[in-house]
Amino acid sequence: MEPVHIVGAGLAGSEAAWQIARAGVPVILHEMRPAKGTFAHKTGDCAEMVCSNSFRSDDDVMNAVGQLHWEMRAAGGLIMATADRHRLPAGGALAVDRDAFSAAVTEVLEADPLIQIVPGEITDLPSDGNWIVATGPLTSDALAQAIRSVTGTDSLAFFDAIAPIVHADTIDMSVAWEQSRYDKGETEAEQKAYVNCPMTREQYDAFIDALLAADKAEFHEGETAGYFDGCLPIEVMAERGRETLRHGPMKPVGLTNAHKPDEKPYAVVQLRRDNALGTLYNIVGFQTKMKYGAQTQVFRMIPGLENASFARLGGIHRNSFLNSPTLLDDRMRLRQRPNLRFAGQVTGVEGYVESAAMGLLAGRMAAAQAQGRDLPPPAPTTAMGALVNHITGGAEAKTFQPMNVNFGLFPPLEEMRGGRRGRKDRYPAYTQRAKDDFAAWLAAQ
């Protein structure tokens, strides 16, 4: 049997390789790292997480991301299984020890007899064979040019950002306190998954002034400020209004200062644990384009972080993605070259989970093709089906932008049209329908 070739061993490529091998089909997984790196990646490991360490909400009843988690677990996904083994306390979210996570994914793939990991950069798109391109938003220049040559159109671009990471022992816990918003979580560890730094109004105003005045890194030639709204730099949010951050990542609701329970903070900066040892914390929602020196000065204005030591400062980079509604069919194949499938963030989905989910689908579809079968996507009533439907035709091509999974992508429930039911009724109905339909899709295979 001819192998399936996968370009890129990120979350999507790793998941695709696992799914193909589970179907009994050989895989050749091409990865250019570490011989050729990117500015965001630090290792040559598979499924390296370069931005947050969170897979976001794990609630599969009231949240579309949690439903996507459920579907990936039901499909025997490697990414979710590994995340579950290396999870960290994070309230209602699924966060992982990123280094242990990627090392474990790499170990599993290297040990699989049907998976061959081949180092080196792929610089052209093959015209024959069964290929999946899962190079992510940091596709190399050479391969990006090859994609443009084949598709006849430029890839679109937005900017993604990396939040800073702080050494835990440099946080002043006489000022900060541990608490998840609304004490969310079933265990004490979950209920205290975040470190909170409070601000008075005067401190908040001074912080915003410093943020707006700070030196920012310049954009590279050819880059434009087309940010993805789900990952805006904090200074861009601040430019939209002085209160924007206080109603976004710095909102104080659901939190009580353990040191001053009768004093309501005007704003709160949250930090989330970034590794299993609890030695590193990332500043939630604080992706930034500030220069490194400015970041250190501005972030040390946060109460509790006056003496903070940073394991990593924030950054921002250009992410490329296809105008998938015009280029891909519902089997995620490039219409001009059906031997090529695309998966992951390069297709215009946003987020770790969404990227891995598209890898899971592309892998199963490629394996089916190798075995002489055709595998349709799951119903659009499922989280995976809603995503693939959106990127391959459901979205408006002229205004296509990266999208996280959300209930707005799901077909409406006829019995709940017209706003007669609230979220408490509608969301469980969406997720139950999705579970039923995804289970039926799996059973049909």
Side-chain angles (χ1 to χ4, degrees):
M1 184 182 298
E2 290 296 314
V4 177
H5 291 261
I6 301 172
V7 186
L11 287 125
S14 296
E15 184 64 59
W18 174 256
Q19 294 290 330
I20 294 165
R22 298 286 63 70
V25 177
V27 183
I28 298 177
L29 180 58
H30 303 267
E31 175 52 57
M32 69 179 187
R33 295 178 294 114
K36 180 172 182 177
T38 74
F39 66 89
H41 291 88
K42 305 301 181 188
T43 75
D45 285 345
C46 301
E48 181 181 344
M49 301 170 75
V50 300
C51 187
S52 167
N53 70 322
S54 175
F55 286 87
R56 311 195 322 276
S57 174
D58 205 31
D59 181 351
D60 64 23
V61 175
M62 296 295 292
N63 192 285
V65 178
Q67 173 59 32
L68 191 55
H69 290 184
W70 185 95
E71 292 175 15
M72 294 175 71
R73 290 181 177 117
L78 172 64
I79 295 302
M80 290 307 301
T82 310
D84 287 336
R85 288 198 300 273
H86 296 280
R87 69 186 301 155
L88 301 173
L94 173 58
V96 304
D97 182 328
R98 70 175 76 214
D99 292 336
F101 166 81
S102 59
V105 171
T106 304
E107 183 179 358
V108 169
L109 296 181
E110 287 179 341
D112 195 300
L114 285 175
I115 299 173
Q116 180 185 1
I117 301 178
V118 177
E121 181 185 5
I122 299 294
T123 59
D124 202 0
L125 293 174
S127 57
D128 56 13
N130 189 348
W131 288 73
I132 297 173
V133 180
T135 49
L138 301 180
T139 298
S140 70
D141 290 342
L143 187 57
Q145 182 55 48
I147 293 171
R148 285 192 288 268
S149 297
V150 171
T151 60
T153 182
D154 284 343
S155 294
L156 302 179
F158 65 96
F159 285 86
D160 205 357
I162 298 171
I165 293 178
V166 176
H167 290 284
D169 59 4
T170 66
I171 302 170
D172 185 352
M173 295 305 295
S174 70
V175 175
W177 76 96
E178 295 178 330
Q179 182 191 7
S180 295
R181 202 177 301 279
Y182 297 110
D183 298 308
K184 193 169 185 178
E186 296 181 1
T187 67
E188 184 178 1
E190 295 284 349
Q191 292 164 3
K192 294 184 176 181
Y194 294 80
V195 169
N196 302 280
C197 300
M199 282 188 180
T200 64
R201 179 163 190 163
E202 291 74 20
Q203 289 168 331
Y204 178 80
D205 284 339
F207 178 79
I208 296 299
D209 289 339
L211 185 62
L212 293 174
D215 287 338
K216 315 297 192 301
E218 298 297 325
F219 291 103
H220 297 296
E221 183 179 353
E223 292 185 340
T224 58
Y227 297 108
F228 171 58
D229 271 354
C231 205
L232 285 174
I234 54 170
E235 59 271 16
V236 172
M237 285 188 272
E239 288 167 359
R240 295 183 174 185
R242 294 186 66 87
E243 293 292 290
T244 302
L245 283 171
R246 203 172 74 85
H247 293 281
M250 296 177 68
K251 59 181 178 284
V253 298
L255 297 167
T256 300
N257 188 338
H259 305 296
K260 300 177 181 179
D262 297 327
E263 188 175 303
K264 184 69 176 176
Y266 188 74
V268 173
V269 175
Q270 286 199 305
L271 295 89
R272 181 180 56 232
R273 201 161 93 182
D274 202 72
N275 64 349
L277 294 174
T279 57
L280 298 175
Y281 276 75
N282 68 64
I283 310 181
V284 178
F286 266 49
Q287 48 275 351
T288 180
K289 187 70 172 173
M290 285 188 289
K291 290 184 177 179
Y292 284 171
Q295 286 186 48
T296 302
Q297 293 176 2
V298 173
F299 294 148
R300 284 179 178 162
M301 294 177 67
I302 298 169
L305 300 186
E306 292 91 345
N307 298 305
S309 174
F310 296 91
R312 183 188 72 189
L313 288 166
I316 190 165
H317 54 271
R318 183 180 190 271
N319 280 354
S320 298
F321 62 97
L322 297 173
N323 192 324
S324 294
T326 65
L327 298 174
L328 303 184
D329 66 16
D330 66 353
R331 268 57 169 181
M332 304 172 72
R333 296 173 298 201
L334 192 63
R335 291 190 174 97
Q336 291 99 322
R337 289 196 188 174
N339 70 302
L340 300 171
R341 279 184 175 80
F342 282 80
Q345 283 188 245
V346 73
T347 64
V349 297
E350 171 64 15
Y352 291 141
V353 183
E354 291 87 341
S355 177
M358 294 303 95
L360 188 153
L361 280 183
R364 285 186 168 234
M365 289 173 172
Q369 178 182 320
Q371 295 170 332
R373 300 183 290 110
D374 175 58
L375 178 63
T381 50
T382 66
M384 277 194 215
L387 272 175
V388 75
N389 178 67
H390 176 75
I391 64 173
T392 62
E396 173 58 53
K398 290 182 180 179
T399 58
F400 183 62
Q401 286 291 311
M403 181 68 72
N404 293 120
V405 67
N406 63 84
F407 287 126
L409 302 182
F410 289 51
L413 293 148
E414 293 297 328
E415 66 273 21
M416 294 189 181
R417 282 185 179 272
R420 292 186 297 274
R421 302 278 189 92
R423 295 177 181 177
K424 290 183 179 179
D425 294 317
R426 285 187 290 113
Y427 289 178
Y430 276 131
T431 53
Q432 187 56 58
R433 179 181 65 175
K435 289 178 176 65
D436 292 342
D437 291 351
F438 193 79
W441 180 75
L442 287 175
Q445 298 172 51

